[in-house]
Amino acid sequence: MENKNYKYLKYAIGEIILVVIGILIALQINNWNENKHENKRREILMTELRKDFLFNKEQLDYVYNGIHESMTSSKKIIDMFPITEETNLDSLSLLLSKGNVFSWYTFNPRNGTVNSLINTSSFEIIDNQELRTLLVGWEDAVSDYSEDEILANEFLANQLNPFTFKNFDYDFDFNNSKNDLSVLQNLEFENLIKERHNTLRYIVEAGDRNDYIVLKDIINRVLELTSKNNN
């Protein structure tokens, strides 16, 4: 009887061990499947993030080039001051009409993936702490940069444009007798062009850590961290 009980006990222990091993294997397989699924989701998110920030980089570059051209043209006009009878009005007309001085630029980033990540549990999938920090700070960086843009665009819309619409034709054709060329010699015209230059310069040239540089650095670093070499 004791021998039978011993054999039964060995059999029961063996069964328990097999069950435990089976459970552990099942858990391991489940964990492996979850990790595989999570890695796939992370890969998809990294791809979408990279697409968005490639778009953001392209648009920021476009906005920067336009603002820089406007700023350069306004500086050329400033260098012509004071306007006199000896001033080459054809050159001035060309700068005013073709120099992008009156162009309106706004950076409109694509934030769909960032917003989706931050507002859902998917954000936990990102295991790179630096990338998480950059994404959390992205909205504030865009907002800070936009404040400078808004100031520049409001000055253009509320002060410079009304002045030019009142005194010059749309194409700045100074051969048109309806233009009031006398205002070219006014301090108001000079100050308006100088202020236009300053509002544009402040966006892109206000030191190494101005809002534009911060935005550009975030975009470039996100693109680095979402490249396949870093995944």
Side-chain angles (χ1 to χ4, degrees):
M1 180 65 70
E2 290 179 358
N3 190 38
K4 287 183 178 181
N5 288 338
Y6 177 71
K7 288 182 178 180
Y8 177 77
L9 182 61
K10 286 175 61 179
Y11 174 79
I13 292 174
E15 286 291 314
I16 292 172
I17 292 173
L18 288 175
V19 170
V20 171
I21 291 174
I23 292 174
L24 292 175
I25 292 174
L27 288 173
Q28 185 63 34
I29 293 174
N30 184 61
N31 288 337
W32 181 82
N33 286 332
E34 287 184 357
N35 289 336
K36 182 179 179 181
H37 178 65
E38 186 172 286
N39 289 336
K40 184 63 177 178
R41 287 179 63 197
R42 184 185 297 112
E43 182 180 342
I44 293 173
L45 287 172
M46 293 300 102
T47 299
E48 293 304 311
L49 268 177
R50 186 168 179 80
K51 286 180 181 179
D52 284 357
F53 276 82
L54 282 171
F55 172 86
N56 294 341
K57 177 179 173 59
E58 181 178 348
Q59 204 198 58
L60 186 64
D61 288 343
Y62 169 79
V63 170
Y64 171 83
N65 290 334
I67 290 176
H68 196 273
E69 183 180 351
S70 298
M71 183 183 67
T72 301
S73 295
S74 60
K75 181 60 170 64
K76 289 180 180 179
I77 296 173
I78 292 171
D79 292 339
M80 299 175 73
F81 292 149
I83 305 299
T84 67
E85 294 179 356
E86 298 179 357
T87 301
N88 188 327
L89 293 184
D90 289 339
S91 297
L92 178 60
S93 173
L94 189 61
L95 285 170
L96 290 170
S97 61
K98 305 296 184 181
N100 242 5
V101 175
F102 297 90
S103 295
W104 187 295
Y105 292 98
T106 302
F107 175 59
N108 295 307
R110 184 178 291 169
N111 292 327
T113 305
V114 173
N115 292 336
S116 176
L117 280 170
I118 293 178
N119 296 325
T120 66
S121 59
S122 298
F123 194 62
E124 302 300 323
I125 295 178
I126 300 178
D127 52 4
N128 186 298
Q129 185 57 49
E130 181 185 1
L131 180 57
R132 289 163 66 108
T133 301
L134 291 172
L135 297 180
V136 168
W138 170 248
E139 184 176 352
D140 287 339
V142 172
S143 178
D144 291 341
Y145 169 83
S146 297
E147 290 178 4
D148 301 331
E149 260 189 6
I150 290 171
L151 288 175
N153 290 334
E154 285 182 346
F155 174 79
L156 175 64
N158 299 328
Q159 298 188 55
L160 185 55
N161 277 347
F163 177 86
T164 56
F165 289 166
K166 179 181 177 181
N167 295 292
F168 309 115
D169 72 278
Y170 191 82
D171 297 317
F172 294 97
D173 179 9
F174 292 154
N175 293 316
N176 186 338
S177 60
K178 293 182 179 180
N179 288 307
D180 185 1
L181 300 185
S182 65
V183 300
L184 294 174
Q185 299 177 349
N186 292 347
L187 280 176
E188 183 179 6
F189 176 69
E190 290 190 18
N191 289 334
L192 286 171
I193 296 298
K194 289 177 180 178
E195 185 62 17
R196 174 60 172 165
H197 176 264
N198 286 336
T199 58
L200 296 171
R201 184 177 63 84
Y202 187 79
I203 296 175
V204 296
E205 288 189 355
D208 293 336
R209 299 305 298 169
N210 77 320
D211 297 328
Y212 163 75
I213 297 297
V214 171
L215 208 59
K216 182 179 178 182
D217 287 348
I218 291 177
I219 290 175
N220 289 336
R221 187 58 182 150
V222 169
L223 289 176
E224 290 176 4
L225 294 173
T226 55
S227 67
K228 290 186 178 180
N229 293 333
N230 287 293
N231 292 335

